Amino acid sequence: MDKTLEIRKVALFPNKKRTRVDDRDGIIHNVKEALDEYRETLTKLRQKHGSEANKLDCWRPDIEAVMHLRKKGKLVNMRKQLGPILGVEVGDEFRNRAELIVAGLHHNFRRGIEYMKKDGKILATSIVNSGRYANHVGSPDILFYSGEGGNPRVECKKPKDQTLERGNLALKNSMEVRTHVRVIRAVKHFEVGTCAKKRSFTTYVYDGLYKVKHFWQERGEFGKLVFKYLLKRIPRQPIIKWEKVSKQSKKPMVSKDIICKNDISEGKEMMPIRVVNAIDSESHPAFNYTRYVIYPNFFMATKQRGCDCLHGCLECKSCPCVMNTGGVCSPNNTIIDRKSLIYDCGTTCKSSSSKNRICQHGIQFKLEVFRTKSKGWGVRSRSYIPCGSFICEYVGEILQEKEVKRRRGSDEYFFWTNGKFVDHAFRDASQHVSFPMLPNFFGDGFVIDATQHGNVGRFVNHSSSPNLFAQSILYDHDDVRIPHMMLFAKKSIPPNQELTYDYSSRVGKIVP
Ligand SMILES: C[S@@+](CC[C@H](N)C(=O)[O-])C[C@H]1O[C@@H](n2cnc3c(N)ncnc32)[C@H](O)[C@@H]1O
């Protein structure tokens, strides 16, 4: 394990107040969920109220979105606390002050110093170095922070001497009691606009824990007395490469995802699959969403033989379906190693609670169709996907030879069930990628064509270092020429990472 991370863990979970592991994981997950929901709510509010509302100075969609989450009980880490915040790591970047509240890092929209009462004294919990006061950053581990109050730029009043009360007093007390203060630094980004105009925006980076070392009074820029605090960063916390953070400034860091459709499946999947576009003005793609493969009229497949197991096929050695697949039951509904063909227990099997039904429970993750920069639409998950999990089926119309020939011009959404790859448009555009060429592929298997009828699987793009793999599975019929093509996670996949599989390995040879 990375040494800095190891140290961070110790700092995060001091021995005295050890949080139970499952509680901790739950809170970390909730922070991510809450931020996701906040962003979604904000987008919806902006869309609902349109550009007119944006012009009103007083309308704060960020505050409205936070209130909405609060009402729904979705805010996490709501109680003010000293020290680290579960679910927030040093270096985490937030898009605005509201996100700091949602994560529980700093609970105030405006004030730079947040504090709480402990043992009869107020102590500083966190400070935001927003740049509105003359704060001075010394070395990366030292921060000179100005007290609050008396600043005409913030309060629109005449300048006056700062007083030792509220936040100022809390910082002084923290110095005396030697408690940790969370520091959040505002980072200004300059985004290059389309007409070479620079627009700026600010993000907030959690810089870790500090201790107040000294404080004093001096004359500030308006000639009045201000408090100054010297804070020193607690050693052995992960180091933030500030040059890198500001380098990213040139890229627009705040995603401007526009939701084109809330659910492309129109209620057909258990989880809605939204379509978002932060790239261009293309609206959601048109096709007929179907959850199930459409077989041709001639197709008269025999039912799978099935099994008579009564106890969930756990005794893998006696279940014929499991034996057909090599005698190994997949752990926790996952597939870690791809096989040439898997027999899932299906409609003809006696036990409806068989553990050997890996792919028949529908889509389990929050998938999202999103506009990519250069590959058209793609798919990502808004939640974490553990290695081996079922993602979705590749659904479409099953075509036989003469149909394939007829539709040859539009093979972008073809999936050959015999493991052969053909997608002329893509292959021509990707000369550097080597795919098996098919000199004579007609009559050599079936095709799943998702051009007109399909599911979310049709949007999954190719990669030569993919995070998914395609697995052929039989469960409702016995025809090995037309197995179901199921996509599984090849590794654990963090949220928001594009899901891809290797088109050139669209399933190996099927061994009947
Ligand atoms: C099955 S579709 C995938 C979804 C598609 N991107 C869309 O917008 O509907 C296959 C097509 O996506 C594009 N594509 C897939 N992977 C790609 C990649 N790695 N680079 C460029 N284009 C890709 C190619 O146009 C290919 O013909």
Side-chain angles (χ1 to χ4, degrees):
M1 189 197 276
D2 180 282
K3 201 157 183 226
T4 47
L5 282 181
E6 213 168 24
I7 291 159
R8 196 187 137 260
K9 249 190 172 176
V10 176
L12 269 179
F13 314 117
N15 288 337
K16 265 193 219 162
K17 269 195 183 172
R18 196 175 285 275
T19 317
R20 272 189 31 233
V21 171
D22 29 341
D23 291 352
R24 204 181 73 196
D25 288 350
I27 295 170
I28 293 170
H29 176 78
N30 290 347
V31 170
K32 292 198 165 62
E33 284 265 320
L35 280 168
D36 268 356
E37 184 148 354
Y38 164 78
R39 287 168 189 167
E40 205 174 318
T41 310
L42 190 63
T43 312
K44 276 187 194 153
L45 282 172
R46 284 190 175 135
Q47 277 180 342
K48 190 171 154 201
H49 296 287
S51 53
E52 281 314 300
N54 282 332
K55 285 180 199 151
L56 298 172
D57 281 347
C58 52
W59 188 59
R60 291 285 302 266
D62 53 343
I63 298 184
E64 211 173 309
V66 171
M67 293 310 169
H68 175 79
L69 258 72
R70 191 192 293 267
K71 256 195 220 148
K72 283 177 76 184
K74 288 285 176 77
L75 290 185
V76 274
N77 299 318
M78 276 183 70
R79 221 167 30 88
K80 286 184 185 174
Q81 51 185 303
L82 293 165
I85 297 294
L86 269 183
V88 179
E89 297 184 17
V90 171
D92 277 355
E93 191 165 15
F94 299 85
R95 298 172 188 184
N96 48 43
R97 294 278 295 252
E99 290 197 356
L100 300 178
I101 299 180
V102 174
L105 201 57
H106 187 88
H107 292 89
N108 202 298
F109 272 103
R110 283 189 64 78
R111 300 188 86 93
I113 309 169
E114 184 197 83
Y115 52 88
M116 61 180 275
K117 208 164 186 175
K118 192 168 182 233
D119 303 329
K121 265 191 171 182
I122 55 165
L123 300 171
T125 52
S126 52
I127 56 174
V128 179
N129 183 9
S130 62
R132 288 189 300 173
Y133 287 85
N135 299 324
H136 169 74
V137 181
S139 76
D141 291 346
I142 298 286
L143 172 68
F144 293 96
Y145 193 77
S146 302
E148 60 183 16
N151 184 341
R153 257 193 249 126
V154 178
E155 291 165 353
C156 300
K157 286 182 193 160
K158 276 189 180 167
K160 57 178 185 181
D161 289 343
Q162 289 184 349
T163 49
L164 196 55
E165 56 179 358
R166 307 211 287 191
N168 298 340
L169 178 63
L171 277 173
K172 172 188 167 275
N173 290 343
S174 297
M175 180 191 76
E176 287 167 359
V177 194
R178 296 182 190 178
T179 48
H180 292 168
V181 180
R182 296 185 293 275
V183 170
I184 299 125
R185 296 200 193 225
V187 180
K188 201 151 190 164
H189 301 268
F190 295 96
E191 182 186 325
V192 182
T194 40
C195 35
K197 260 192 204 159
K198 277 187 180 176
R199 284 191 298 158
S200 72
F201 59 92
T202 304
T203 60
Y204 296 85
V205 177
Y206 176 46
D207 186 13
L209 298 175
Y210 278 68
K211 263 188 185 168
V212 185
K213 289 290 176 185
H214 303 292
F215 90 107
W216 66 95
Q217 271 184 306
E218 64 180 41
R219 293 268 160 215
E221 57 179 321
F222 303 104
K224 300 290 174 188
L225 283 174
V226 294
F227 287 102
K228 288 280 179 178
Y229 300 85
L230 185 151
L231 290 98
K232 199 162 185 298
R233 197 170 192 251
I234 305 295
R236 292 180 296 153
Q237 296 182 86
I239 293 156
I240 300 177
K241 296 199 171 115
W242 291 103
E243 328 82 66
K244 242 186 173 178
V245 176
S246 51
K247 241 192 199 160
Q248 290 168 0
S249 307
K250 293 191 185 71
K251 291 187 234 144
M253 294 200 34
V254 180
S255 146
K256 298 186 187 82
D257 278 340
I258 301 292
I259 301 174
C260 308
K261 202 167 168 73
N262 280 321
D263 181 10
I264 199 166
S265 86
E266 298 190 315
K268 293 182 184 113
E269 300 287 2
M270 284 188 306
M271 302 250 190
I273 301 169
R274 66 179 198 181
V275 184
V276 295
N277 189 345
I279 303 290
D280 53 31
S281 56
E282 191 76 18
S283 70
H284 66 87
F287 69 105
N288 299 314
Y289 198 100
T290 170
R291 266 188 76 186
Y292 305 104
V293 169
I294 302 169
Y295 293 99
N297 289 338
F298 74 87
F299 183 66
M300 299 274 283
T302 47
K303 291 241 182 220
Q304 195 172 303
R305 190 165 69 90
C307 66
D308 298 325
C309 311
L310 290 176
H311 305 293
C313 311
L314 274 181
E315 292 90 44
C316 301
K317 292 281 173 257
S318 62
C319 171
C321 305
V322 176
M323 287 313 288
N324 266 341
T325 310
V328 188
C329 223
S330 305
N332 311 320
N333 275 341
T334 58
I335 298 179
I336 307 295
D337 297 317
R338 204 175 116 206
K339 298 186 174 68
S340 52
L341 180 65
I342 283 182
Y343 285 84
D344 240 15
C345 283
T347 40
T348 44
C349 297
K350 266 212 173 123
S351 164
S352 56
S353 62
S354 170
K355 284 265 189 301
N356 186 36
R357 287 177 208 268
I358 308 165
C359 56
Q360 296 166 59
H361 309 290
I363 293 171
Q364 304 288 316
F365 299 97
K366 279 189 178 173
L367 300 184
E368 183 172 80
V369 175
F370 73 105
R371 193 79 180 152
T372 66
K373 278 195 186 137
S374 57
K375 299 178 274 183
W377 299 97
V379 181
R380 64 189 174 200
S381 163
R382 291 167 58 209
S383 51
Y384 170 84
I385 302 176
C387 175
S389 306
F390 168 68
I391 307 297
C392 67
E393 179 168 359
Y394 192 97
V395 168
E397 291 174 85
I398 302 285
L399 301 188
Q400 70 178 133
E401 193 186 333
K402 59 177 190 292
E403 243 335 270
V404 171
K405 273 187 190 160
R406 215 167 59 79
R407 297 189 194 182
R408 199 179 163 190
S410 54
D411 55 8
E412 207 179 333
Y413 297 95
F414 278 13
F415 198 130
W416 286 76
T417 59
N418 63 359
K420 304 258 173 91
F421 170 82
V422 68
D423 176 343
H424 292 96
F426 177 53
R427 206 172 44 203
D428 294 347
S430 330
Q431 297 298 338
H432 57 286
V433 191
S434 80
F435 294 117
M437 299 296 282
L438 300 168
N440 177 19
F441 52 81
F442 297 121
D444 195 13
F446 288 80
V447 157
I448 306 171
D449 178 10
T451 314
Q452 286 165 31
H453 303 272
N455 70 343
V456 63
R458 78 195 281 284
F459 295 109
V460 181
N461 284 318
H462 160 85
S463 167
S464 48
S465 52
N467 47 21
L468 307 184
F469 65 87
Q471 173 67 59
S472 45
I473 297 191
L474 283 177
Y475 67 87
D476 53 352
H477 66 74
D478 230 357
D479 195 331
V480 291
R481 295 170 306 161
I482 323 174
H484 292 273
M485 292 300 175
M486 307 290 194
L487 299 176
F488 284 84
K490 202 173 173 187
K491 43 181 132 172
S492 298
I493 308 170
N496 298 323
Q497 199 167 85
E498 181 172 5
L499 306 180
T500 53
Y501 64 97
D502 188 342
Y503 282 9
S504 67
S505 67
R506 285 182 167 187
V507 186
K509 287 250 170 302
I510 293 158
V511 187

